[in-house]
Every structure is written in C-alpha cells, then in structure tokens.
Amino acid sequence: MAQLWGGRFTKETDKLVYNFNASISFDQKFYEQDIRGSKAHVAMLARQGILTAEEKDQIEAGLDGILADVRSGKLEITSEYEDIHSFVEANLIDRIGDAGKKLHTGRSRNDQVALDMKLYVRDEIDETDELVKKLLEALQKIMEENVHTYMPGFTHLQKAQPVTLAHHVGAYFEMFVRDRSRLADIRKRMNTCPLGAGALAGTTYPLDREYTAQLLGFDGPTRNSMDSVSDRDYVIELLSAFSTIMMHMSRFCEEIIMWNSNEYRFVEIDDAYSTGSSIMPQKKNPDIAELVRGKTGRVYGALTSILTTMKGIPLAYNKDMQEDKELTFDAIDTVKGCLALFTGMISTMQFNKQNMEASAKNGFTNATDAADYLVNHGVPFRDAHGIVGRLVLTCIDKGISLDELPLEEYKAISPVFENDIYEAISMKTCVEKRMTIGAPGPDVMEKVIAENKKYLERKLKKTACNLFWFVIVCTRKTDVRNIRTPG
Ligand code: ARG
C-alpha cells in the first residue's frame, strides 16, 4: 500500500478503506496523459528556475522510461499504488532518486487529476469524431447509390408519402453532422488548462501557467483555481453529446430491426453482423442493432449518474468527483465500440429495393399526389381529399393499389380523372416532383450529396491544419505571456 500522504498518520489505513478509496484499477487508463502533464509541468518548473535543467532532464528521462515500459508491458501498473499519480511518482523516485521527489512541486493531485481527465476526454473527443466521420462516409455512400430507390416514408409508423432511401438516410446524415459539431463545441469550451490551480488556491511558486497550457495544446489556463479543480461540466457535456449520438444510432437500429424483419424485408443484414438461435435453425437475428439500441440506456445512465453526483458537491475538490471516471470511461468505450460496429453493419447491409418500392405502392403513399392531381384540375383541395379517400376505400375493398385501379373506377368517383393519372401517381413522379430544398426529389438530393462531399473533405483539411498548428505550438519557443484569456 504505497501512499503519498503517510506523514501525518500514525496508523496503517484499514485494508477495506484502502480498497474503497483507491482508484488505480481504473485511472491507470490515463497513464499516458498523466505523464504528458507531468512532463509539461517539469518543463515549466525548469523554465521558471524552480528546478535545475539537470533535474528537469533527469525527470523527463525517467518519465519517458516509465511510459515506454508501461506501453511495452515491461512495467505493470498494480494495485500496490493508490492511484496512477502515486504509481508514476513512486516509480520515478525508484528510477532517478531524489530528483524524482521534486516532480510534485507546486502541484496537487486535484489539479493533476483535473488535467489528466481533460487531456483524456479531449483525446477521446478527437477519436470519437473520427468514428462519427467514418459513419458519415458510410451514410454518404448509401445516399449516392440510392437517389432513385423509392420507399415509403412513415408518420406514426404508418406509410405516409414516398421518399427515397437516399432521403431517409440523409436525415441521419444531418443528425450525425450535428453530433460532430456538438463534439467540436465541447472541445473548444473545455480547452483550458487547470494545471497550476494546486489543491484549490493556486501556489506560492512563480508558476507560468500560460506556458504549461501552451505546451499541452490548450488555448490558455483556467481563470479560477477553485473552479479548475471542481469543474466537471465538460464531462457532463460529453456524456450528453454521447447520449445524443447513441439516441441517433438507436433510432436507426430500431428501423433496421424492423426493416430486417420477415414482414418488411427491406434489408438483409450481412451474415458477419448477424447471429443465430441455439434452438431455431431458421433464425438470423439483428443482435448488433439490438445491442446498440440497448447500450444507449447505459450511456444515458452515465449522464444521469454524473449529474446526480455533481449536484450536491460544495466547492472545491471532493472525493465524490473520483466517481466521474469509471462511468466516463465506460461510456467512451461503449460509444466508440457502437460507432465502429454500427458503421460496419450499415456498410455491409443489402437493401431490397424492389420490396421497398412495392411497399411504398401498396401503402397508398401516392394518395396525396392523387389529390394534388385533382387540385391541378380545378378541384378544391378539401373535395379532392374526400374523393381520393373514397378511391382508397375502393382499393382496400378490392385488395389493390391506386395504380392498379381501372380508369372507369376513377371516373365513377370523379369525371376529372384522365389516363394521365397513372403517370401522376407513379412513385417516380411522386418523388421527382418534390423539388423544394430538403425534399427527396433527385435534383435537390444530388445537390445535398455534393454538399456532403465537400463537408467531408473540408473537415479533413481542417484536421490537417490543426495538426500543423499543434506541431508549431509544441516546437517553437515563444513568449507565452501574450496568450488570450478565454472570453
Ligand atoms: N483519484 C482522485 C480522483 O480521481 C485523484 C485526486 C485525489 N485528490 C485528493 N485530494 N484525494 O479524483
């Protein structure tokens, strides 16, 4: 039981208390971030003359050694240490001796853990964003291939009007674009560095907080040391954005599960993404879609949990906040796993285009267009609505669709109908005539697809540009005193 704070105590910690209090079993996940933060801290201490250049070099080499050994598996993170911070410090002292004891100068675990968590979340936002982008690329491909694939659009889960598969999938494209922009907003808002806030009230050492912030790729230091160590807003925002991503995937999964059912047969999920039954040989189940839908509840749970944990915590740091980690890590792993699997599932899924089109026809999705035909021939809309309602009743009676109903039957209900009614209510016409912005008509859809393409390319360039900027910031020797405070 290696603890950083034994001096004031006269008794060993009770074993159960130690285990209850320790966080190493989960905070070991951010050992890379912890070491990255320590290296920046040490570079700043040396720059400010608080450590000598020699001590800095020794500590840096020691930290690099620990990082390499943990990565390669040579050094194991064990429960012998209370948390990842203690593990790194103890190992550093073992490796380099007294210089290692200076690492924690002007720092508390409170600002250290606040930093580690921010670095971890920021890294994970970037990885999640990449996964959402891959998903968007998969959606874009489906859209490109299905501008003329007709299917029923639904309201109240009743067939409503014909749309295209490109249009339907395009709705999800919009949702996931918003998800990316939410992630970008969070990243921007959280990008201030808490390091240097100390336990809660800053330190008496002449720390250069702007320099550490810059070294770690932040826009600047946080502005209030008490807030710095007790802010977990960005975790809440992340879990909220994650809940929304999951909700979007879950809605699509629900549709895929229905579309894959024996009744719909709109899609065929690839064998690689389906599972069988141990008793019923005929079964091919959409388990992946069901699991993504199911895991959505788990991510919502994490959001509810952190909100509840935070609501009663007085300023500043309190141990309750250690509870942010397991649920955040679990949510991150869940969302990333679901995004990757969901993308794989939809990229390999087959669409039964004939079934989709037949379903649109059989559900009277062209009834509004039949009414519009009458309106175009001078019949007031309310009357047209009534006439087509009667036509639909006749069709239901005969078990046929509107385009199978003979012209005499049309004429018997309204003499306005002529032979061109069949053309007017064909799926092709119904869709092609919907040409307003946002509608499924192929011309507007092609424009959307072209815009999507540009959007996907644009974001790529922006990432490259950020990377470029990051390298410049990390390598140049600048006067860091001019960094803007966040507005
Ligand atoms: N494991 C702790 C956490 O995750 C680290 C901070 C400990 N600070 C303290 N004052 N005990 O929040």
Side-chain angles (χ1 to χ4, degrees):
M1 297 203 285
Q3 287 169 154
L4 299 171
W5 38 263
R8 187 223 181 278
F9 289 77
T10 52
K11 250 187 180 179
E12 274 279 292
T13 320
D14 179 273
K15 185 85 183 95
L16 282 177
V17 172
Y18 182 85
N19 291 339
F20 190 67
N21 188 52
S23 52
I24 189 94
S25 63
F26 47 87
D27 65 16
Q28 59 178 277
K29 211 167 173 114
F30 50 46
Y31 73 91
E32 303 226 6
Q33 286 79 6
D34 193 74
I35 291 174
R36 205 193 305 163
S38 288
K39 283 179 72 177
H41 181 61
V42 164
M44 181 276 296
L45 290 178
R47 197 171 189 261
Q48 296 300 98
I50 302 165
L51 292 184
T52 65
E54 205 190 334
E55 286 166 336
K56 170 194 165 240
D57 292 344
Q58 269 182 290
I59 297 176
E60 265 181 10
L63 289 171
D64 285 340
I66 295 172
L67 183 62
D69 290 352
V70 174
R71 274 189 188 151
S72 71
K74 207 166 129 195
L75 176 61
E76 203 194 328
I77 303 175
T78 63
S79 59
E80 196 191 328
Y81 303 91
E82 181 187 332
D83 54 30
I84 190 63
H85 325 298
S86 318
F87 166 83
V88 172
E89 190 175 316
N91 270 277
L92 184 69
I93 296 168
D94 277 355
R95 276 169 199 239
I96 66 165
D98 280 350
K101 295 183 182 163
K102 296 192 174 181
L103 168 67
H104 211 51
T105 312
R107 189 174 70 171
S108 155
R109 276 185 298 167
N110 297 353
D111 60 343
Q112 189 179 357
V113 79
L115 171 71
D116 292 1
M117 194 63 182
K118 269 197 169 177
L119 288 175
Y120 190 85
V121 163
R122 203 179 61 180
D123 290 347
E124 293 297 333
I125 285 179
D126 293 345
E127 286 194 19
T128 309
D129 182 65
E130 268 307 303
L131 289 167
V132 180
K133 184 157 177 278
K134 288 210 173 87
L135 167 55
L136 283 169
E137 282 161 0
L139 296 176
Q140 168 81 346
K141 187 159 182 287
I142 298 173
M143 289 175 75
E144 283 166 358
E145 290 167 0
N146 291 288
V147 172
H148 299 283
T149 305
Y150 308 122
M151 65 178 285
F154 297 84
T155 62
H156 313 272
L157 203 53
Q158 306 275 324
K159 292 176 194 177
Q161 288 176 342
V163 294
T164 64
L165 181 56
H167 191 241
H168 193 113
V169 168
Y172 285 100
F173 195 98
E174 299 301 314
M175 296 178 219
F176 291 113
V177 167
R178 289 197 294 274
D179 285 329
R180 284 190 83 197
S181 102
R182 257 184 285 275
L183 290 175
D185 287 348
I186 298 167
R187 195 191 195 287
K188 193 158 177 272
R189 197 165 25 256
M190 68 167 280
N191 205 28
T192 50
C193 183
L195 193 60
L200 78 163
T203 75
T204 53
Y205 297 96
L207 306 186
D208 185 343
R209 294 195 57 211
E210 287 177 333
Y211 184 62
T212 32
Q214 193 173 22
L215 285 180
L216 292 164
F218 288 101
D219 296 332
T222 48
R223 299 180 62 237
N224 179 295
S225 57
M226 292 179 82
D227 178 52
S228 312
V229 293
S230 55
D231 166 32
R232 295 295 182 274
D233 289 6
Y234 62 96
V235 174
I236 293 170
E237 288 191 42
L238 177 83
L239 294 175
S240 166
F242 273 10
S243 295
T244 311
I245 293 176
M246 290 301 296
M247 178 266 288
H248 290 154
M249 277 196 285
S250 183
R251 289 184 75 176
F252 204 169
C253 282
E254 170 67 13
E255 294 190 324
I256 290 170
I257 292 162
M258 284 190 298
W259 292 355
N260 186 65
S261 69
N262 298 338
E263 283 68 28
Y264 277 77
R265 295 225 160 279
F266 282 8
V267 297
E268 176 84 28
I269 299 176
D270 195 77
D271 275 6
Y273 285 87
S274 310
T275 51
S277 156
S278 60
I279 177 170
M280 297 166 283
Q282 85 281 12
K283 290 292 271 280
K284 190 176 146 189
N285 296 328
D287 286 30
I288 299 307
E290 289 167 21
L291 271 174
V292 172
R293 188 178 60 182
K295 285 178 191 290
T296 302
R298 181 166 166 166
V299 177
Y300 289 4
L303 173 62
T304 312
S305 179
I306 186 71
L307 279 168
T308 314
T309 299
M310 293 303 294
K311 86 180 177 67
I313 305 185
L315 290 181
Y317 178 83
N318 295 263
K319 198 61 177 256
D320 318 39
M321 289 163 133
Q322 180 167 288
E323 285 299 305
D324 64 352
K325 299 189 184 57
E326 283 166 288
L327 56 93
T328 305
F329 296 159
D330 182 72
I332 290 171
D333 292 346
T334 303
V335 171
K336 282 166 68 185
C338 287
L339 279 167
L341 278 161
F342 182 77
T343 303
M345 177 178 71
I346 61 162
S347 317
T348 51
M349 197 162 74
Q350 295 296 319
F351 293 95
N352 299 329
K353 301 184 186 184
Q354 285 91 344
N355 289 356
M356 286 181 158
E357 182 167 352
S359 166
K361 271 189 193 163
N362 295 335
F364 304 106
T365 58
N366 46 5
T368 315
D369 295 81
D372 288 345
Y373 172 94
L374 292 172
V375 172
N376 288 333
H377 289 77
V379 181
F381 181 76
R382 192 49 56 214
D383 293 342
H385 188 284
I387 292 168
V388 177
R390 278 157 65 202
L391 284 172
V392 168
L393 262 184
T394 312
C395 287
I396 292 173
D397 217 35
K398 295 180 183 297
I400 57 174
S401 59
L402 276 173
D403 57 332
E404 289 165 333
L405 189 71
L407 189 60
E408 309 84 72
E409 305 262 8
Y410 275 96
K411 281 191 164 301
I413 295 180
S414 168
V416 177
F417 285 115
E418 293 300 340
N419 212 26
D420 58 352
I421 178 62
Y422 297 106
E423 167 72 37
I425 60 165
S426 76
M427 288 296 116
K428 191 169 183 295
T429 312
C430 291
V431 168
E432 281 179 6
K433 278 199 322 213
R434 289 181 155 76
M435 293 179 301
T436 47
I437 294 174
D443 292 351
V444 271
M445 210 63 240
E446 293 289 5
K447 275 195 196 134
V448 169
I449 288 171
E451 282 166 18
N452 290 354
K453 191 162 178 266
K454 273 200 205 132
Y455 160 83
L456 291 167
E457 283 165 5
R458 187 172 71 231
K459 292 291 169 174
L460 259 182
K461 276 193 211 122
K462 198 171 163 228
T463 314
C465 160
N466 280 346
L467 249 181
F468 173 75
W469 174 238
F470 182 74
V471 171
I472 296 286
V473 164
C474 291
T475 49
R476 73 181 170 167
K477 274 206 161 159
T478 34
D479 181 358
V480 291
R481 270 151 245 270
N482 302 328
I483 305 177
R484 259 181 320 116
T485 42

